[in-house]
Amino acid sequence: MKVGIPRGLLYYKYKPFFTTFFEELGAEIIESPDTNKEILDLGVKLCTDEACLPIKVFHGHVEKIKDKCDLILVPRIMQVEKREFICPKFCGIPEMIENNIKDLPQITKAPIYSYSADKFLNWAYETGKLFTKSYIKIQRAFDYAIKEQNMFKEGIDDEGFQYKVALIGHTYNIYDKFINMNLVKKLNNFGIGVITHEVVDDNVKHMEVKKLFKRPFWTFAREYYGFASYAVRNQLIDGIIYLSSFACGIDSVIVELLKLEFEDIPFLLLKIDEHTGEAGFDTRVEAFVDMLTRRKGGNLA
Amino acid sequence: MYYLGIDVGSVSTDIVVIDENYNVVESVYLRTKGRPIKAVQEGFKYIKEKIKTNEIAGVGTTGSGRHIAAFLVGADVVKNEITSHAVAALSLDKDVRTIIEIGGQDSKIITLENGMITDFAMNTVCAAGTGSFLDRQAERLEIPIEEFGDYALRSKNPVRIAGRCAVFAESDMIHKQQLGFAVEDIIRGLCEALVRNYLNNVAKGKDIKSKIFFQGGVAANKGMKRAFEEALGCEVFVPKHYNMMGAIGAAILAAERQIKWTNFKGFEIADVKYETASFECSGCSNLCEVAVIKCEDKVIGYFGDRCGRHSGKVAV
Ligand code: SF4
Ligand code: SF4
């Protein structure tokens, strides 16, 4: 069986798990290519206009590989932590895909609750059934996949730069070089190092958000806020760049929270959607870099 | 010695020459009309008559077309619009805390403290309040844009216009006109609506402190200046060269560099024949729209490729 894995949404985070799981069950993996203009255009065309850019891009990836596979992974991720939620769009993504894309092969629809192995296994059984009748085999594939995932080191933590910024945003914005117009490299070229939230331990983030008036409802909010708070307190960074999807409700909440809390830290909000022009984007980045370097007494020109 | 500053924006191209004390000695304002190279050449033709190439000690470019311009003229400094505008304002007054800049197609806000930029925002999405929008409304009301501000100042009872977005503002204006409101009151109402729109969008969440500078083409409009002053409750200053501040900033940045040998190619490039073309690269799935600049059938530059496959080939 050929299993398609679209390079969109949380692919960047959970790729080791899913590839290993399906491979262990004997599948051949078909990954969509890195996001490119064609995929973006396809996504924009197929998806409803109100959706955020990452959802559109995901549509494009599915469309691109749908004819080559028997099953496509469309992860309906509900919860990765107890008492927290991922974005509501993740809960409905299989339905969006089914309604917007014609001539689909089978897609995975079972919900994923990954905060405990028990819960997560439900997804594995539900999906593994399509490959084998043996629960033991599925269990083994699952165990392997978890092991692979745990070995996966995520995150960016640049060293050897004079300045450093916290780059905050969804992984599918930060690691998709086409969508973010190579932001990390651009910053590096300006002499700015980058640190991302995965570098800071989850427990630390849990501790940091305790200071908030109310426990964050969204997993992303806890992760990003917790990271920013830790990085600012320990003076790891000179500024914060938030890479946000246009029309992302979760981002807009987190951005307000960060701005309120860290007033004195230079903050740049970069919003991206399918209309974002590279010239204006670069201007913002450049001006922000000037602002940072000048603060520290660097040469402006 | 003089320094040259060039600001190539989507609507206008401004070129200034400043002396060592940052006084403007020459300036030209041209419409870009989608042809930045032509605009720069036109400007050079004019300046060439007054200033010699060997009097120029440094060149800075800014604006959305800064890279093309830099390549064309041989710039020493290439800077974004935010920094350039701030540098120009600071050179006039060290105490400026807020810069409101509204140009032909975009608007920005810059906040400063102790002569350093602390925050900024740009709006390139919504057209309401930008120069092109005001131009169009003036045209529709059959009033020369230069007099637009005077009309607004004459009004005693401004009409409330919905300014949330350009489309609404326009249709609301037409509606108010049909109801028979005086043109003066409509224009003043429009200025107020655009200022509200600016403060709620571009300037949202920004700390607006005085001293406030108002620059960019729209600053010529006295109605807008007054609407800002009323909304903010303090004086708003419009610098003398309000519509050239980007170019002035770029020139100052070039002067600050104290370069020994400028890269400047000379005003003579005004007479060179350049051709521009573009093609879609099929080198990979990005399908970049690449612009090519040719001179006497020889390709001298590429722009717009994401990977440097083309632009890297030509020595700039
Ligand atoms: S978190 Fe935001 S960007 Fe991500 S899918 Fe949800 S709405 Fe879109
Ligand atoms: S210019 Fe480079 S990135 Fe753009 S399409 Fe060609 S090869 Fe791809």
Side-chain angles (χ1 to χ4, degrees), chain A residues 27-56:
Chain A
E28 181 190 333
I29 306 285
I30 312 263
E31 268 183 38
S32 60
D34 282 337
T35 308
N36 56 42
K37 185 141 188 296
E38 185 201 350
I39 289 178
L40 174 66
D41 289 348
L42 283 173
V44 170
K45 198 178 80 196
L46 291 166
C47 190
T48 38
D49 208 36
E50 293 79 45
C52 58
L53 182 64
I55 293 286
K56 291 179 185 167

Coordinates of all heavy atoms in Angstrom, one line a residue, chain A residues 27-56:
Chain A
A27 N 4.2 -0.2 4.5 CA 3.7 0.8 3.4 C 4.9 1.4 2.7 O 6.0 1.5 3.3 CB 2.8 1.8 4.1
E28 N 4.6 1.8 1.5 CA 5.6 2.7 0.8 C 5.2 4.1 1.0 O 4.0 4.4 0.8 CB 5.6 2.3 -0.7 CG 6.6 3.1 -1.5 CD 6.4 2.9 -3.0 OE1 5.9 1.9 -3.4 OE2 6.7 3.9 -3.7
I29 N 6.1 5.0 1.4 CA 5.7 6.3 1.7 C 5.9 7.3 0.5 O 7.0 7.2 -0.1 CB 6.6 6.9 2.9 CG1 6.6 6.0 4.1 CG2 6.2 8.3 3.2 CD1 5.3 6.0 4.9
I30 N 4.9 8.0 0.2 CA 5.0 9.0 -0.8 C 4.9 10.4 -0.1 O 3.8 10.7 0.3 CB 3.9 8.9 -1.9 CG1 3.7 7.5 -2.3 CG2 4.0 9.9 -3.0 CD1 4.4 7.1 -3.6
E31 N 6.0 11.1 -0.1 CA 5.9 12.4 0.5 C 5.6 13.5 -0.6 O 6.2 13.4 -1.6 CB 7.2 12.8 1.3 CG 7.1 12.4 2.7 CD 8.4 12.8 3.4 OE1 8.9 13.9 3.1 OE2 8.9 12.0 4.3
S32 N 4.9 14.5 -0.3 CA 4.7 15.6 -1.2 C 6.0 16.4 -1.2 O 6.7 16.3 -0.2 CB 3.5 16.4 -0.9 OG 3.7 17.0 0.4
P33 N 6.4 17.1 -2.2 CA 7.6 17.9 -2.2 C 7.5 19.1 -1.3 O 6.4 19.3 -0.8 CB 7.8 18.3 -3.7 CG 6.4 18.2 -4.3 CD 5.7 17.2 -3.5
D34 N 8.6 19.7 -1.1 CA 8.5 21.0 -0.3 C 7.5 21.9 -0.9 O 7.4 21.9 -2.2 CB 9.9 21.7 -0.3 CG 10.9 21.0 0.7 OD1 10.4 20.4 1.7 OD2 12.1 21.1 0.5
T35 N 6.9 22.7 -0.1 CA 6.0 23.7 -0.7 C 6.6 24.5 -1.8 O 7.7 24.9 -1.7 CB 5.5 24.6 0.4 OG1 5.1 23.9 1.5 CG2 4.3 25.5 -0.1
N36 N 5.9 24.7 -2.9 CA 6.4 25.5 -4.0 C 5.2 26.3 -4.5 O 4.1 26.2 -4.0 CB 7.1 24.7 -5.1 CG 6.2 23.6 -5.6 OD1 5.0 23.8 -5.8 ND2 6.7 22.4 -5.8
K37 N 5.4 27.1 -5.6 CA 4.4 27.9 -6.1 C 3.2 27.1 -6.6 O 2.0 27.5 -6.3 CB 4.9 28.8 -7.2 CG 4.0 29.8 -7.8 CD 4.7 31.0 -8.1 CE 3.8 32.1 -8.5 NZ 3.0 31.8 -9.7
E38 N 3.4 26.0 -7.2 CA 2.3 25.2 -7.8 C 1.5 24.7 -6.6 O 0.2 24.8 -6.7 CB 2.9 24.0 -8.5 CG 1.9 23.2 -9.2 CD 2.3 21.8 -9.6 OE1 3.6 21.5 -9.4 OE2 1.5 21.0 -9.9
I39 N 2.1 24.2 -5.6 CA 1.3 23.7 -4.4 C 0.5 24.8 -3.8 O -0.7 24.6 -3.4 CB 2.3 23.0 -3.4 CG1 2.8 21.7 -4.1 CG2 1.6 22.7 -2.1 CD1 3.8 20.9 -3.2
L40 N 1.1 25.9 -3.6 CA 0.4 27.1 -3.0 C -0.8 27.5 -3.8 O -1.9 27.6 -3.3 CB 1.4 28.3 -2.9 CG 0.8 29.6 -2.4 CD1 0.3 29.4 -0.9 CD2 1.8 30.7 -2.5
D41 N -0.6 27.6 -5.1 CA -1.7 27.9 -6.0 C -2.8 26.9 -6.0 O -4.0 27.3 -6.0 CB -1.2 28.1 -7.5 CG -0.3 29.4 -7.6 OD1 -0.3 30.2 -6.7 OD2 0.4 29.5 -8.6
L42 N -2.4 25.7 -6.0 CA -3.4 24.6 -5.9 C -4.3 24.8 -4.6 O -5.5 24.7 -4.7 CB -2.8 23.2 -5.9 CG -2.3 22.7 -7.3 CD1 -1.5 21.4 -7.0 CD2 -3.4 22.4 -8.2
G43 N -3.5 24.9 -3.5 CA -4.2 25.1 -2.3 C -5.2 26.2 -2.2 O -6.3 26.1 -1.7
V44 N -4.7 27.4 -2.7 CA -5.5 28.6 -2.7 C -6.8 28.4 -3.5 O -7.9 28.8 -3.2 CB -4.7 29.8 -3.2 CG1 -5.6 31.0 -3.4 CG2 -3.6 30.1 -2.2
K45 N -6.6 27.7 -4.6 CA -7.7 27.4 -5.5 C -8.7 26.5 -4.9 O -9.9 26.7 -5.0 CB -7.2 26.9 -6.8 CG -8.1 27.0 -8.0 CD -7.6 26.4 -9.3 CE -7.7 24.9 -9.3 NZ -6.8 24.3 -10.3
L46 N -8.3 25.5 -4.3 CA -9.2 24.4 -3.8 C -9.8 24.8 -2.4 O -11.0 24.4 -2.2 CB -8.4 23.1 -3.6 CG -7.9 22.5 -4.9 CD1 -6.9 21.4 -4.6 CD2 -9.1 21.9 -5.6
C47 N -9.2 25.5 -1.6 CA -9.6 25.7 -0.3 C -10.5 26.9 -0.2 O -10.5 27.9 -1.0 CB -8.4 25.9 0.6 SG -8.8 25.9 2.4
T48 N -11.4 26.9 0.8 CA -12.2 28.1 1.1 C -11.4 29.3 1.4 O -10.3 29.2 2.0 CB -13.2 27.9 2.3 OG1 -12.4 27.2 3.2 CG2 -14.4 27.2 1.9
D49 N -11.8 30.5 1.0 CA -11.0 31.7 1.1 C -10.8 32.0 2.6 O -9.7 32.6 2.9 CB -11.7 32.8 0.4 CG -10.8 33.8 -0.1 OD1 -9.6 33.4 -0.5 OD2 -11.1 35.0 -0.1
E50 N -11.7 31.7 3.5 CA -11.6 32.2 4.9 C -10.5 31.4 5.6 O -10.1 31.9 6.7 CB -12.9 32.0 5.6 CG -14.0 32.9 5.2 CD -14.7 32.3 3.9 OE1 -14.9 31.1 3.9 OE2 -14.9 33.1 3.0
A51 N -10.1 30.3 5.1 CA -9.1 29.5 5.9 C -7.8 30.2 6.0 O -7.4 31.1 5.2 CB -8.9 28.1 5.2
C52 N -7.0 29.8 7.0 CA -5.6 30.4 7.1 C -4.7 29.8 6.0 O -5.0 28.7 5.5 CB -5.1 30.1 8.5 SG -5.0 28.3 8.8
L53 N -3.6 30.4 5.8 CA -2.7 30.0 4.8 C -2.2 28.5 5.0 O -2.2 27.8 4.0 CB -1.5 30.9 4.7 CG -0.5 30.6 3.6 CD1 -1.1 30.7 2.2 CD2 0.7 31.5 3.7
P54 N -1.8 28.1 6.2 CA -1.3 26.7 6.3 C -2.4 25.7 5.9 O -2.0 24.6 5.4 CB -1.0 26.6 7.8 CG -0.8 28.0 8.3 CD -1.7 28.9 7.4
I55 N -3.6 25.9 6.2 CA -4.7 25.0 5.8 C -4.7 25.0 4.3 O -4.9 23.9 3.7 CB -6.0 25.4 6.4 CG1 -6.0 25.3 7.9 CG2 -7.2 24.7 5.8 CD1 -6.1 23.9 8.5
K56 N -4.6 26.1 3.6 CA -4.6 26.1 2.2 C -3.5 25.3 1.6 O -3.6 24.6 0.7 CB -4.6 27.6 1.7 CG -5.9 28.4 2.0 CD -5.8 29.8 1.5 CE -7.0 30.6 1.9 NZ -6.9 32.0 1.7

